[in-house]
Amino acid sequence: MTVALSDAQAMDLAQQAAHLWGARHDAPQPRLIRNRENAVFEIALPGGPAALRLHRPGYQSQGSIASELWWQSALAVEGLAVPTALPTLAGDLVAQLAQGRLASCIAWAKGDAIGEGGVPLTQSMARQCALHADLGQMLAEMHTLTDGMTLPANFTRHRWDLDGLLGETPFWDRFWEHPGLTQHQAAMLQAARSQLHADFTSYIARGADIGLIHADVLRENVLDDDGALTLIDFDDCGIGFRLYDLGTALSQNLTEPHLPQIADALISGYSRLRPLSTQDIGLVAGFTLLRTLASVGWTMSRLPADHPGARAHIARAVRASDIVLGGGALLGR
């Protein structure tokens, strides 16, 4: 299990890294935003504020992080509201610090997160729907712009494909073997895995939309600046099912009273630029379930089995699996 840096350790590294990006010696001290998988700081550079990341060791290679930043910057050049990558004074997108820790820096993004995982949304139903319609259109624009790009020869990212999500060695671990599962729960998640594997195998056979995806379109990664949305945190981006981005965006809304309207708004917004067939729309619930399953795997190398966060992810995945396996409408539609 990965042990996070202490705040003091992270601050020492952030101060070291900030100077590589040109921070003046009399600049304000880096401000810690969060210290979880990556430690993220706001730093003051001569050109304005920036977000500095100290990357979790062993998760992404230097080349993979550089590829992430290349894609993010290419999207920004095309006009998508995402922060562009900032090179060091030496011209590097990724810097290596003491203890082998990797660091990168992106332009600061304005706005507040549209919500937080596990906390009910407070906006009116109309506002929730408007935000998700705009988010859906933004995701469609991101996918369309990416389809027109030629990736660099050395571009390297992991895959959120059938094997990466539901194979024997998923990128985020074997969720059906989480030590916090009861025997019944483990069997339920395994049954959900089998059903989704069959559904998505059929989807691939009829021509699944696969390409670069953000793969972590959670509320905290969507900033709202007076109605203008910005998408941040591309740390998990990779090659995968485009519909997984929609499922991820809906996965935190499963207990919202306006879930059907939110789902309709997200799908409608996406369809403005990338029309979805009736079959594709029917798969969005499956990709939403898939994200809840993958999140259980995500906790396995990050949280103790009895951690409240791990238990919450398990409970959500079990509820979602029970609905889908029972033939119910996960998205209320």
Side-chain angles (χ1 to χ4, degrees), residues 44-129:
L45 298 181
L52 172 73
R53 290 184 302 171
L54 306 178
H55 294 265
R56 173 193 179 196
Y59 186 56
Q60 301 289 357
S61 67
Q62 187 164 345
S64 182
I65 296 169
S67 296
E68 167 205 338
L69 297 170
W70 179 91
W71 183 41
Q72 195 170 333
S73 295
L75 290 171
V77 167
E78 293 294 333
L80 196 71
V82 300
T84 191
L86 302 176
T88 66
L89 295 179
D92 302 315
L93 290 179
V94 185
Q96 186 157 351
L97 309 176
Q99 306 166 29
R101 180 76 59 157
L102 299 174
S104 65
C105 195
I106 58 174
W108 188 256
K110 295 181 179 179
D112 298 314
I114 64 172
E116 182 181 343
V119 179
L121 294 174
T122 58
Q123 304 97 333
S124 67
M125 183 184 76
R127 182 63 183 146
Q128 291 175 28
C129 290

Side-chain angles (χ1 to χ4, degrees), residues 1 31 41 66 84-85 91 106-107 138 143 149 151 161 186 250 257 261 265 301 308 310:
M1 186 171 298
R31 180 173 70 90
F41 289 83
T84 191
I106 58 174
M138 186 180 194
H143 295 161
M149 295 177 182
L151 303 182
D161 54 10
L250 292 173
Q261 293 86 353
S301 64

Side-chain angles (χ1 to χ4, degrees), residues 128-203:
Q128 291 175 28
C129 290
L131 285 170
H132 283 84
D134 289 346
L135 176 59
Q137 181 170 324
M138 186 180 194
L139 294 175
E141 184 179 1
M142 178 180 71
H143 295 161
T144 299
L145 289 172
T146 303
D147 284 343
M149 295 177 182
T150 300
L151 303 182
N154 61 350
F155 190 91
T156 176
R157 293 296 297 182
H158 55 272
R159 301 189 71 87
W160 297 110
D161 54 10
L162 201 61
D163 283 340
L165 289 162
L166 293 169
E168 288 302 310
T169 55
F171 186 67
W172 273 356
D173 224 325
R174 296 161 65 91
F175 55 83
W176 61 94
E177 294 181 352
H178 192 290
L181 293 170
T182 65
Q183 186 174 1
H184 174 70
Q185 290 172 335
M188 183 178 291
L189 297 198
Q190 182 67 280
R193 174 188 174 224
S194 296
Q195 179 169 319
L196 292 180
H197 196 284
D199 291 345
F200 299 153
T201 297
S202 297
Y203 177 44

Side-chain angles (χ1 to χ4, degrees), residues 36 113-123 128 132 218-220 251-257 262 312 316 319:
R36 297 192 301 225
I114 64 172
E116 182 181 343
V119 179
L121 294 174
T122 58
Q123 304 97 333
Q128 291 175 28
H132 283 84
L218 302 179
R219 295 171 177 177
E220 53 265 35
S251 65
Q252 290 178 320
N253 294 302
L254 292 178
T255 58
E256 292 293 337
I262 290 172
R316 183 180 66 167
R319 286 195 304 269

